[in-house]
Amino acid sequence: MVKVSVNGTVIAESTNTTIVEGNHYFPPDSIINKDTIFTDSSTHSVCPWKGNASYYNLKLPGGTNISDVAWYYPEPKEKAKHIKGFVAFYKNKVTFQDA
């Protein structure tokens, strides 16, 4: 199991992540309280083989806010279809733990 936390609060955990280019991509249903902790960011980027990425900002109870903490591919290119909607986190903005 891989867990992601911010200031001790676990925000994602899964035994079913997909590793792409050294990043764990978490299934959407493995994000804890996704609809309340994430807001859409205006940031977007393009990967030549995965496609257009969209980003999430994080807002935790107690006032922790982190811009562009995670990204996902809502409509990836063919070679990245297996990570459609999966969420990856910036390693310098969260803490990863193998449980």
Side-chain angles (χ1 to χ4, degrees):
M1 165 129 9
V2 180
K3 293 183 180 184
V4 174
S5 63
V6 173
N7 297 335
T9 300
V10 176
I11 60 173
E13 57 186 354
S14 178
T15 57
N16 196 28
T17 64
T18 299
I19 299 175
V20 177
E21 297 179 330
N23 295 302
H24 283 275
Y25 282 79
F26 287 76
D29 63 356
S30 67
I31 311 302
I32 299 167
N33 298 319
K34 180 181 176 191
D35 294 336
T36 58
I37 66 167
F38 280 160
T39 58
D40 291 329
S41 169
S42 61
T43 303
H44 298 277
S45 63
V46 178
C47 172
W49 72 272
K50 291 185 293 255
N52 296 320
S54 295
Y55 290 73
Y56 287 124
N57 298 319
L58 177 72
K59 183 175 183 178
L60 291 177
T64 298
N65 296 304
I66 303 174
S67 298
D68 299 332
V69 71
W71 72 93
Y72 67 101
Y73 293 88
E75 295 297 330
K77 291 184 176 183
E78 191 61 37
K79 290 183 179 180
K81 289 286 186 193
H82 63 290
I83 57 166
K84 180 177 181 173
F86 279 43
V87 179
F89 294 88
Y90 278 102
K91 295 174 184 172
N92 64 338
K93 296 185 179 187
V94 301
T95 301
F96 284 86
Q97 177 184 8
D98 289 321

